[in-house]
Amino acid sequence: SCTPLDSYKWKNRIVLMFGNNPELINHQIRTLEAYERGMEERHLILFNVSGIDIESPIVDQSLKPDGIKWLKEEYNSRNTSFLVILIGKDGGVKIKDTKPLSSDRLFALIDGMPMRQQEMKNN
């Protein structure tokens, strides 16, 4: 079965943002926007799956409406007012939180992963 995230598997880590709280969505984006390089180094892609319209250079706009629908059903079927999820390169959920993630927490978690340790060694 095909999912909207299949093409990113083993290439990217993904941060998904859901919810209907513009303040929290905005806060999460601004927090990560300040660390664009850190995100690039960790192959992170940020998807806004909230339906709240936000212009940001770090938000990937390539999700199609049916992909958005699939992701909402898969990860936020209860319609939490804010939900952020980190998906690893293996496609597994690594963090799920109802409060915005700090870049410190996000990066520390990723940097502790075996795959990331390997990437840092190879660089």
Side-chain angles (χ1 to χ4, degrees), residues 14-20 24-30 32 45-52 54 56 58-60 63 68 71-72 76 80-86 97 100-101:
I14 294 170
V15 174
L16 299 172
M17 297 178 305
F18 300 89
N20 51 18
L24 293 178
I25 297 284
N26 251 309
H27 179 83
Q28 183 64 85
I29 290 172
R30 301 287 165 263
L32 297 179
I45 296 181
L46 181 61
F47 286 117
N48 176 10
V49 198
S50 69
I52 294 162
I54 288 168
S56 164
I58 67 162
V59 175
D60 191 299
L63 282 179
I68 288 174
L71 290 167
K72 281 182 176 166
N76 192 28
T80 316
S81 73
F82 178 81
L83 181 66
V84 59
I85 295 178
L86 170 67
D97 209 330
L101 297 170

Side-chain angles (χ1 to χ4, degrees), residues 104-123:
D104 283 355
R105 183 174 164 215
L106 180 63
F107 291 173
L109 193 110
I110 291 170
D111 291 347
M113 293 175 183
M115 205 179 295
R116 172 72 183 141
Q117 305 252 308
Q118 201 51 50
E119 288 166 13
M120 293 191 288
K121 251 213 271 324
N122 296 341
N123 275 345

Side-chain angles (χ1 to χ4, degrees), residues 7-9 21 23 26-27 33 35 50-51 53 59 62 64-65 67 73 76-77 86 97 101 104:
S7 57
Y8 301 98
K9 207 167 177 184
N21 184 322
E23 270 171 50
N26 251 309
H27 179 83
E33 233 173 25
Y35 296 93
S50 69
D53 220 18
V59 175
S62 66
K64 306 274 180 291
E73 282 165 11
N76 192 28
S77 51
L86 170 67
D97 209 330
L101 297 170
D104 283 355

